[in-house]
Amino acid sequence: MRPTRPTSLPTRCFRLARMGWHIAIGLVIVATRFPRLAYAERAVVTQRWSRQLLKILGITVEVAGDSPGFYPNNTLLVANHVSWLDIFVLNSATVSRFVAKQEIRRWPVAGWLVASAGTVFIDRNSRRDASRVNQHLARALENGGCMAVFPEATTSDGSVLLPFKPSLFESVRQSRGTVQPVALNYRTPHDTPCTAAAYAGDTTFMQSLRMILATPAIRVELRYGSRISADGANGSEPTRFQLAEAARDEIVRGLRITPARPDTAARTPADPPA
């Protein structure tokens, strides 16, 4: 198959200008409207904004599986992590508040924007911070929220699924809620793997953005797996390790890959105790 030609320079510049204007609109909305809105109302604005951003960048989202809906109650959304676009792809279908590394909070403009949108920040270098974040997540879930985590705790190019860190699954056990696995699969219009959106390894944000702007079209398969109950209603209450393993199995099926099973029950320095 002949490789797809990159977009022209004028097209890339036009996309970038539209994206910049759209971000400026988002900043104004967050600064003026968000403080007066309930989370459910913010979700409507967030979904609309995310869909428009993806459209500007030539990205279409195809939803498969049993979607939990627009803003599911007491639900921990769990996904594989490929790109900075993942947040907007997920929010285009199921709106949630995310957990992000603490460093993002210090980013100019973007840090303020994601903090204002209700993001929960975690210090991944602190073994004790997972307990604080779990309590915060559990309260948000109990209050009817939908929260989202990327249990790989880093990004990949989308061809593999890294081991899951089970620590943050403790929050959904505390809230006796539901884990909703969802697989993100970036494809070309010809249904071949697309790595243009990958934000992994030594790739910088600007390099990632340039690749996305130069790609004529990206198709993202958003495949929801079976929901996993954390309330123990069907017998013994699952551990956070069991929840992490079950969620990972569902995402593996959604990605249609067969990686070796990691030992998610093993405690490592990268998996701080809950």
Side-chain angles (χ1 to χ4, degrees), residues 15-184:
R15 281 183 173 182
L16 183 61
R18 290 185 66 197
M19 178 181 171
W21 177 248
H22 189 61
I23 291 173
I25 293 173
L27 291 170
V28 172
I29 290 173
V30 169
T32 60
R33 291 183 58 191
F34 260 38
R36 303 194 303 269
L37 299 177
Y39 278 121
E41 295 172 312
R42 292 182 184 185
V44 175
V45 177
T46 298
Q47 184 180 69
R48 190 176 302 149
W49 192 91
S50 297
R51 286 178 173 178
Q52 183 61 28
L53 176 67
L54 297 176
K55 183 178 180 180
I56 289 170
L57 295 175
I59 298 167
T60 57
V61 178
E62 297 179 1
V63 176
D66 184 15
S67 171
F70 167 64
Y71 192 66
N73 174 66
N74 198 357
T75 297
L76 185 70
L77 199 68
V78 176
N80 59 306
H81 202 8
V82 178
S83 173
W84 56 271
L85 289 170
D86 295 348
I87 291 174
F88 309 110
V89 170
L90 291 171
N91 275 338
S92 73
T94 299
V95 179
S96 54
R97 294 164 57 199
F98 288 80
V99 175
K101 60 183 181 180
Q102 186 170 278
E103 292 82 350
I104 293 177
R105 194 170 198 168
R106 296 191 290 268
W107 288 4
V109 183
W112 175 82
L113 181 62
V114 297
S116 301
T119 299
V120 178
F121 296 96
I122 183 171
D123 182 0
R124 296 198 180 277
N125 295 319
S126 172
R127 294 173 60 87
R128 297 181 179 180
D129 203 40
S131 177
R132 176 190 64 83
V133 172
N134 270 317
Q135 292 174 12
H136 191 122
L137 290 178
R139 285 196 300 270
L141 293 169
E142 289 169 347
N143 290 331
C146 178
M147 308 300 294
V149 297
F150 299 111
E152 292 170 287
T154 188
T155 53
S156 73
D157 65 1
S159 63
V160 296
L161 188 63
L162 302 174
F164 278 10
K165 310 300 181 187
S167 55
L168 295 184
F169 284 84
E170 184 65 24
S171 63
V172 75
R173 290 184 70 249
Q174 294 177 17
S175 72
R176 304 181 71 82
T178 300
V179 177
Q180 174 61 72
V182 57
L184 290 154

Side-chain angles (χ1 to χ4, degrees), residues 186-239:
Y186 288 80
R187 315 288 291 179
T188 69
H190 304 296
D191 200 33
T192 57
C194 178
T195 59
Y199 185 36
D202 296 327
T203 303
T204 66
F205 175 78
M206 291 308 300
Q207 289 172 334
S208 170
L209 179 59
R210 282 197 295 268
M211 287 189 291
I212 293 167
L213 294 173
T215 304
I218 298 174
R219 183 172 62 86
V220 188
E221 293 180 356
L222 194 60
R223 189 173 296 274
Y224 292 94
S226 299
R227 294 163 209 167
I228 305 163
S229 175
D231 64 5
N234 298 324
S236 60
E237 188 173 314
T239 67

